[in-house]
Amino acid sequence: MGPEVSLSKRNNVLYCVIAILLLCILLFPLYWMFVTSIKTEKEIFQIPPTFWPEVLNLKSYAAQLKSGDFNMFQSFGNSLIISIGAMVIAVILAVPASYGIAKYHFKGRKSVVLVFLVTQMLPVSVLLTPLFIMFKNLHLYNTVWSAILADATIGIPFSVLILRNYFASIPKEMEEAAYIDGCNKFTAFMRVLIPIAKPGVIVCAIFSFLYAWGDLAYGMTFIIDQQKRPITAGIFNFMGQYGTKWSYLSAFAIVTIIPVALIFIFMQKYIITGMTSGAVKG
Amino acid sequence: MNRVKKFFKYDNVGIFFVLPALLYMIIFVGYPIISNFILSFQDVTVKTLLSDVKEFVGLRNYIELFKQDNILTTSLWNTLIFTVACLVFQFIIGFALAVFFNKKFAISKPIRGLLMMPWMIPITVTGLIFKFMFGTDVGIINYFLKGLGLITENIDWLTNTATAMPAVIFANIWIGIPFNMILISTGLSTIPTELYESASIDGANKFQAFRKITLPLLRPTIESVLILGFIYTFKVYDLVYVMTSGGPVNSTQMLSTYSYKLSFEMFKYSKGAAVANILFVILFFVSLFYLKFTYSQEEA
Amino acid sequence: MKRLLSILIAGIMMASLLIGCGSSGNETEATQPAASAETGESEKAVSAETSGGASGTVTIWYYWETAGHQEALNTIVQQFNDSQDEITVEAKYVPFADFKKQLSIGASADELPDLVILDNPDHAAYASMGIFADITDKFDVSTYYDGPVNSCTLDGKLYGVPFGSNCLLMFYNEDMLKEAGVEVPTTWDELLETAQACTKDNVSGFAHCALQNEEGTFNFLTYVWSTGATSYEINSEGGIKALAMVKDLVDSGAMTKAAINWTQGDTMNQFISGNLAMMINGTWQVPTMREEAPDLNWNVAPIPMDMQQASGLGGENYAVISGGNEEGAIEFLKFATSEETCLYMMETMGYISSNSVIAEGQFEDDAIYQAFVEEMQYAYARGPLAEWPDVSDAISLAFNEVITGASEPEAAAEKAQTTIDSIVGQ
């Protein structure tokens, strides 16, 4: 807010300092989890707590690799496949849908938006049994496809509703310019609008990916073979009847996040540039 | 003007853009919603789950829930309080952060990116982190509070009926801040900068600019963020299940956790379905309200 | 609007087609002889190991998440598969938290395994659902302990075979007790005193799992049974006494309130970390404790009592799913319950065999395990009752209310009893 003049050097430094402070406060839980993962189980329960381990313990990470039937690399691959699949489906279906809702005031538009909202209103637990039956009859039970299809249902309505605003903010002049050039509705959409809306599309692709990545219920219920389950299922290896092993669990958490963080760091430049440059230039 | 009229004549084309997504959702989610509806009007428990004939009992499950089951009313209240509290704080903090990071200072972009982290972590894992941090004797939060001199005795966050809810709310706020921040940021980025420039030329100060330009233009974004936030927060499950399982003594029992418990731990499938429907109906009316509100503005 | 309606109808019709398509012909996958290369085509060749007819794949669902347990199960599965050609067994892990849910959904969708290994108090509920096969004449359980066998029985018919049992004892940290100058408590009053004496700084004198779920109920009921009351008589002198005892333990500081959030495993972790002087816990923790805390000086003793010695009976049962590959499953069961295989599993997992013949020969040199075997005669079973989960829920709510101070023992007991009566009365 406010005119985008560049800040004075002093203000610049001030803002940077505040920003770093905010970062430290907000991300402290993650730091704490990381530190916990390299402590010994005993030290974790020590009081007063240590902020950096006295004794480094990397066993927890070694334990992540293989535990019974659970294989970290395999699960990670499964998660990737499932998340990318869900993301692709979500983007392909949701982008046109949100465009349609944003730009075209057709009859029943309100009802369509209502339908998308409504599909998010049931808690996951209730969707499990009917979807299970459906996937079983489609012979998709115990395959990654059941998880992909189910996870896409999380990303689609969300993307539609968020992208709607984005598309709505793109001024009509852009479209009209495309028509003048001879495009019909669909080509105008593909050639002109998608490139402009790319940042919004990417943000939605990422959200859909992450929702699928963090999903536990669908992956657990529809896939019975441990080798095919997503990485989130690994949580149960470290908590259960025999207690919560905090060192293992925190290592598991870090392992689950690091790849996602990496992906995010690389895509980040893309997103942030896109988001802040805005859909309209001057 | 003629061009514009012609443009809108072909509005119905929009349906085709929408159709694939719509059908997908109706198939994969519409069917479960309906079967859940039907289930709540039957009498399905562990003994009747596999029988061919399921007795239709009309509204009996609902009546029993409202009349005899005080856990239902507790869950209802808990869910409402939880949702409103989370939304308020998430929104305010997220908004403030979005505004702050909208300024162009050297590291604004990377830092904002990093702040997305809380939201990227699988919720079950976040639940465990906070469960650990809120631990009575080993939790770091008590340690900090003591260090700051705010408390003298350790607070038993998750085992005390009065403090369990605030703890869970706190965790959920942490998760939700990035969501609010990023969406508002996206919204902020669509506001053309000339508007601010001309406003300042006209003599408006920052607050006036905020009220007269930023807020109105951000309205659609704000509405989306709030309504989606409401829906997602209202059906919170994983976080609460992991941190407290709805306890202690149902002080953090939410509609969704209660529904799960009824269905899959006590084998009262129909009752579980009924509770889920109550959740559903509430959200439905909230959405209706939202739609009426937004679209009446647009049509004006 | 009309267009939207037609879309909706089309969508629902499509969905119902998808559902309807596969559900004709309710054959579970397991009964179809596997097209997989694993099953030899030599069904004709009669092997000495299997009785004629049993073949195909057998899928087992189990919930043990400890790597050691999983490996043990996979080992005996492998042994069985290697020993003959007709039947191939596969074991699939379903996490404990998900197990009931998965069984319910599987039952609804007709997608169940052939054999399940499940927690004994849940057995009756599923038997009443009708998903377990009646194996009354196919198995000889005459030498098994009564408690475990009762948990597999419904209406006089046998719906499963006990896998193994365990029970609860009090574990204590010898060094801590010596330091506090106290003896091992044997009664409730002594427990209060001893626990308070051992409580200091960040060490709690005593704790056990007090979660508001089956695990918690399991531990709490040892108090109730010790007074002579049954698990259905909460609003009795004994029941109220038990609730009051728990309240005293917590109010006096002897037992930490945090136990409301502790699983039995968490409790054990606290104990081996040196934050807990005494705990109630089970046989199955022993292997882990020995491995993770070899230098800790600990021992076991009967749980301090009120009127009589009491412990809780835990353990799992095998159950054959009706309509699955029943014969194949039973063949595997015969193998799994044979002495050698059984002993191997019991030893690896820290269980006591439910077969008294085998149990008496177990753990000859191990005093700790022997204490558990000795305690088996005082171990009470939960249920069996199809509605046990409801009853358990009412009980765990009661002691949670008392521990958090939300209710007084009398009020909590009365409330629980009302619920229990309405359930059992049906």
Side-chain angles (χ1 to χ4, degrees):
Chain A
M1 80 181 215
E4 301 288 359
V5 290
S6 31
L7 300 167
S8 69
K9 203 141 188 246
R10 196 190 70 144
N11 274 342
N12 210 320
V13 170
L14 187 64
Y15 273 92
C16 285
V17 166
I18 297 181
I20 295 187
L21 218 65
L22 283 173
L23 188 73
C24 288
I25 296 177
L26 212 62
L27 293 195
F28 176 76
L30 297 180
Y31 170 77
W32 188 235
M33 188 183 36
F34 172 68
V35 160
T36 308
S37 71
I38 50 178
K39 287 186 187 174
T40 58
E41 193 76 27
K42 205 156 176 265
E43 193 179 335
I44 291 174
F45 288 101
Q46 217 173 287
I47 297 162
T50 50
F51 284 93
W52 187 258
E54 288 163 12
V55 178
L56 261 184
N57 170 29
L58 295 175
K59 251 176 44 180
S60 328
Y61 282 97
Q64 302 298 313
L65 292 178
K66 198 155 172 23
S67 167
D69 278 340
F70 174 74
N71 180 322
M72 189 194 91
F73 293 112
Q74 200 169 37
S75 313
F76 185 71
N78 295 335
S79 274
L80 259 184
I81 296 175
I82 295 174
S83 303
I84 292 179
M87 172 185 83
V88 166
I89 294 182
V91 168
I92 292 180
L93 292 182
V95 171
S98 63
Y99 171 72
I101 295 179
K103 287 297 174 194
Y104 297 103
H105 294 236
F106 52 89
K107 259 201 199 170
R109 182 171 80 138
K110 261 204 258 181
S111 318
V112 168
V113 175
L114 187 63
V115 169
F116 280 118
L117 278 175
V118 156
T119 53
Q120 302 180 84
M121 290 179 194
L122 268 191
V124 166
S125 56
V126 203
L127 299 174
L128 291 177
T129 311
L131 279 180
F132 188 98
I133 298 177
M134 205 188 283
F135 288 136
K136 178 190 154 162
N137 288 327
L138 289 173
H139 300 287
L140 294 177
Y141 169 62
N142 206 21
T143 66
V144 285
W145 276 106
S146 51
I148 291 177
L149 291 174
D151 287 345
T153 65
I154 310 175
I156 292 176
F158 176 79
S159 304
V160 167
L161 294 166
I162 297 298
L163 269 181
R164 180 171 65 109
N165 294 324
Y166 206 86
F167 276 119
S169 71
I170 296 176
K172 299 202 182 59
E173 297 79 51
M174 302 245 179
E175 287 185 71
E176 299 195 355
Y179 294 131
I180 292 175
D181 286 346
C183 297
N184 68 20
K185 298 250 185 295
F186 288 104
T187 39
F189 172 61
M190 297 291 295
R191 292 224 197 106
V192 175
L193 289 158
I194 291 201
I196 293 179
K198 202 152 42 163
V201 172
I202 290 186
V203 166
C204 285
I206 294 195
F207 277 148
S208 303
F209 179 89
L210 290 178
Y211 273 138
W213 185 269
D215 161 60
L216 179 61
Y218 291 138
M220 284 298 313
T221 311
F222 302 139
I223 303 180
I224 198 76
D225 285 336
Q226 219 183 343
Q227 302 94 324
K228 297 188 196 159
R229 285 186 179 141
I231 200 169
T232 37
I235 249 184
F236 291 111
N237 291 310
F238 311 115
M239 62 180 237
Q241 269 196 319
Y242 301 92
T244 313
K245 286 185 126 128
W246 288 112
S247 57
Y248 285 17
L249 203 55
S250 39
F252 167 77
I254 298 284
V255 159
T256 315
I257 299 172
I258 285 187
V260 184
L262 277 176
I263 296 175
F264 191 74
I265 289 176
F266 286 123
M267 298 292 285
Q268 198 212 167
K269 295 183 195 148
Y270 212 166
I271 311 169
I272 304 293
T273 325
M275 278 194 330
T276 49
S277 62
V280 181
K281 298 239 183 272
Chain B
M1 267 299 104
N2 277 336
R3 274 227 75 188
V4 174
K5 279 204 183 139
K6 230 169 108 182
F7 184 81
F8 277 106
K9 229 170 91 177
Y10 298 96
D11 248 349
N12 293 326
V13 140
I15 297 232
F16 290 106
F17 284 101
V18 164
L19 213 52
L22 200 61
L23 275 178
Y24 188 92
M25 295 307 293
I26 290 179
I27 293 177
F28 285 108
V29 182
Y31 165 68
I33 291 181
I34 293 179
S35 69
N36 187 59
F37 228 74
I38 298 176
L39 184 61
S40 71
F41 292 125
Q42 294 173 324
D43 177 30
V44 182
T45 62
V46 69
K47 291 196 168 134
T48 58
L49 185 65
L50 294 179
S51 61
D52 290 321
V53 176
K54 297 198 171 65
E55 193 194 335
F56 184 78
V57 295
L59 288 174
R60 192 177 77 189
N61 289 320
Y62 292 94
I63 297 176
E64 278 175 10
L65 278 171
F66 277 110
K67 272 206 181 155
Q68 303 162 0
D69 194 341
N70 49 9
I71 301 184
L72 175 71
T73 18
T74 313
S75 316
L76 204 53
W77 269 126
N78 288 341
T79 318
L80 274 170
I81 295 174
F82 177 83
T83 308
V84 171
C86 287
L87 270 185
V88 166
F89 285 101
Q90 283 173 3
F91 182 74
I92 294 178
I93 300 178
F95 201 106
L97 287 175
V99 165
F100 179 79
F101 282 100
N102 213 28
K103 296 248 186 249
K104 286 188 172 16
F105 55 94
I107 47 174
S108 64
K109 291 179 188 176
I111 301 263
R112 176 167 56 185
L114 281 176
L115 282 182
M116 290 287 290
M117 292 278 275
W119 189 82
M120 284 168 22
I121 307 172
I123 296 187
T124 37
V125 170
T126 311
L128 287 163
I129 299 175
F130 277 93
K131 187 171 174 172
F132 184 56
M133 289 187 9
F134 274 112
T136 314
D137 293 314
V138 302
I140 197 82
I141 289 183
N142 273 339
Y143 182 72
F144 279 146
L145 289 176
K146 270 197 188 159
L148 288 174
L150 289 171
I151 58 172
T152 44
E153 289 277 319
N154 280 333
I155 300 182
D156 48 351
W157 290 100
L158 298 177
T159 53
N160 187 320
T161 49
T163 53
M165 182 63 102
V168 180
I169 291 178
F170 186 84
N172 199 44
I173 293 174
W174 187 81
I175 297 178
I177 292 177
F179 172 75
N180 282 264
M181 180 185 76
I182 215 73
L183 288 174
I184 295 179
S185 285
T186 317
L188 282 175
S189 72
T190 62
I191 301 178
T193 53
E194 317 82 65
L195 288 178
Y196 293 112
E197 284 161 12
S198 37
S200 79
I201 290 175
D202 285 346
N205 67 24
K206 287 229 183 100
F207 288 116
Q208 288 170 321
F210 184 70
R211 264 181 53 220
K212 294 268 163 67
I213 302 178
T214 318
L215 278 185
L217 285 178
L218 266 189
R219 230 177 96 139
T221 310
I222 294 180
E223 281 161 356
S224 297
V225 163
L226 286 179
I227 190 70
L228 280 179
F230 191 91
I231 294 180
Y232 288 140
T233 313
F234 202 76
K235 58 174 198 172
V236 63
Y237 175 74
D238 286 331
L239 183 70
V240 173
Y241 185 74
V242 166
M243 279 181 83
T244 59
S245 303
V249 192
N250 296 317
S251 57
T252 55
Q253 192 77 266
M254 308 286 169
L255 285 173
S256 56
T257 53
Y258 191 45
S259 167
Y260 184 94
K261 178 173 166 158
L262 282 171
S263 290
F264 295 122
E265 286 175 25
M266 320 225 325
F267 305 123
K268 293 181 171 163
Y269 306 103
S270 284
K271 286 260 166 69
V275 173
N277 276 330
I278 294 173
L279 189 157
F280 180 84
V281 164
I282 294 178
L283 287 179
F284 188 77
F285 280 112
V286 169
S287 311
L288 277 182
F289 174 72
Y290 157 74
L291 276 178
K292 185 159 174 269
F293 201 54
T294 1
Y295 282 92
S296 66
Q297 300 293 326
E298 278 190 18
E299 251 95 78
Chain C
M1 223 33 249
K2 228 166 72 173
R3 198 164 297 187
L4 190 65
L5 211 54
S6 35
I7 296 175
L8 261 165
I9 296 179
I12 296 182
M13 272 169 50
M14 254 200 256
S16 11
L17 264 177
L18 290 174
I19 314 295
C21 249
S23 55
S24 52
N26 278 329
E27 287 171 39
T28 52
E29 289 172 3
T31 48
Q32 290 149 22
S36 72
E38 292 166 308
T39 317
E41 297 297 27
S42 54
E43 286 164 53
K44 320 254 170 66
V46 177
S47 133
E49 312 282 351
T50 64
S51 49
S55 67
T57 55
V58 170
T59 313
I60 306 179
W61 282 5
Y62 68 95
Y63 59 64
W64 299 311
E65 85 284 348
T66 318
H69 295 3
Q70 293 186 356
E71 276 157 23
L73 183 64
N74 285 334
T75 307
I76 66 169
V77 163
Q78 190 62 45
Q79 278 174 9
F80 181 74
N81 287 339
D82 290 342
S83 73
Q84 44 78 47
D85 285 327
E86 283 77 23
I87 309 175
T88 312
V89 176
E90 264 178 58
K92 311 229 184 213
Y93 164 62
V94 178
F96 185 66
D98 261 22
F99 209 77
K100 276 182 169 169
K101 175 198 92 188
Q102 210 64 23
L103 272 179
S104 290
I105 296 184
S108 306
D110 201 23
E111 181 68 49
L112 286 170
D114 303 296
L115 194 63
V116 254
I117 305 179
L118 78 165
D119 203 15
N120 69 38
D122 292 331
H123 202 120
Y126 290 110
S128 75
M129 206 195 265
I131 58 173
F132 291 159
D134 176 358
I135 57 174
T136 317
D137 300 318
K138 308 210 172 102
F139 235 91
D140 175 21
V141 290
S142 51
T143 54
Y144 283 62
Y145 289 111
D146 284 337
V149 171
N150 281 342
S151 67
C152 315
T153 314
L154 194 68
D155 297 332
K157 306 205 191 97
L158 188 67
Y159 286 103
V161 176
F163 161 80
S165 307
N166 46 55
C167 58
L168 297 171
L169 277 180
M170 184 179 69
F171 291 65
Y172 61 93
N173 186 323
E174 287 177 319
D175 295 333
M176 286 190 187
L177 259 64
K178 217 187 289 183
E179 223 184 285
V182 284
E183 298 286 324
V184 178
T186 52
T187 66
W188 282 9
D189 289 328
E190 285 174 19
L191 175 62
L192 266 167
E193 270 177 44
T194 316
Q196 283 180 60
C198 294
T199 306
K200 57 176 178 206
D201 299 332
N202 52 309
V203 175
S204 260
F206 173 76
H208 58 78
C209 161
L211 281 171
Q212 197 177 330
N213 65 14
E214 186 63 49
E215 261 189 280
T217 307
F218 182 46
N219 280 261
F220 172 73
L221 280 175
T222 54
Y223 295 112
V224 175
W225 288 319
S226 187
T227 65
T230 70
S231 48
Y232 302 114
E233 296 166 349
I234 298 300
N235 196 13
S236 61
E237 199 189 307
I240 297 182
K241 224 168 158 194
L243 285 169
M245 172 63 179
V246 166
K247 182 178 158 66
D248 287 338
L249 279 168
V250 171
D251 286 348
S252 67
M255 173 156 136
T256 165
K257 213 161 115 179
I260 291 191
N261 269 351
W262 290 355
T263 62
Q264 290 167 114
D266 292 331
T267 312
M268 177 200 68
N269 273 339
Q270 294 289 335
F271 185 79
I272 59 179
S273 302
N275 292 339
L276 199 53
M278 296 183 283
M279 68 168 178
I280 298 182
N281 225 317
T283 328
W284 66 90
Q285 305 288 28
V286 175
T288 315
M289 286 172 67
R290 285 181 170 164
E291 195 186 310
E292 309 237 332
D295 300 325
L296 196 70
N297 280 333
W298 57 274
N299 209 336
V300 292
I303 302 173
M305 61 182 180
D306 176 53
M307 311 266 284
Q308 58 184 15
Q309 206 173 331
S311 179
L313 179 71
E316 282 89 11
N317 296 335
Y318 291 107
V320 176
I321 302 286
S322 96
N325 186 353
E326 293 181 33
E327 290 179 352
I330 293 182
E331 280 307 309
F332 176 74
L333 274 187
K334 290 188 185 153
F335 170 78
T337 52
S338 64
E339 178 155 354
E340 201 185 307
T341 321
C342 182
L343 269 175
Y344 167 73
M345 292 295 278
M346 298 299 111
E347 235 122 85
T348 325
M349 296 176 57
Y351 273 56
I352 301 168
S353 171
S354 315
N355 189 339
S356 60
V357 161
I358 302 181
E360 273 146 29
Q362 267 182 291
F363 310 125
E364 269 171 5
D365 300 318
D366 198 323
I368 302 264
Y369 278 124
Q370 281 192 343
F372 280 103
V373 176
E374 171 72 20
E375 191 71 12
M376 283 290 282
Q377 57 186 304
Y378 304 110
Y380 290 79
R382 291 154 284 167
L385 187 72
E387 297 84 3
W388 176 255
D390 278 354
V391 173
S392 171
D393 194 61
I395 298 177
S396 63
L397 180 65
F399 68 77
N400 261 251
E401 283 176 333
V402 165
I403 292 180
T404 55
S407 285
E408 289 297 307
E410 291 81 4
E414 205 185 307
K415 185 160 143 195
Q417 194 64 48
T418 320
T419 316
I420 295 177
D421 287 338
S422 69
I423 299 166
V424 175
Q426 281 165 2

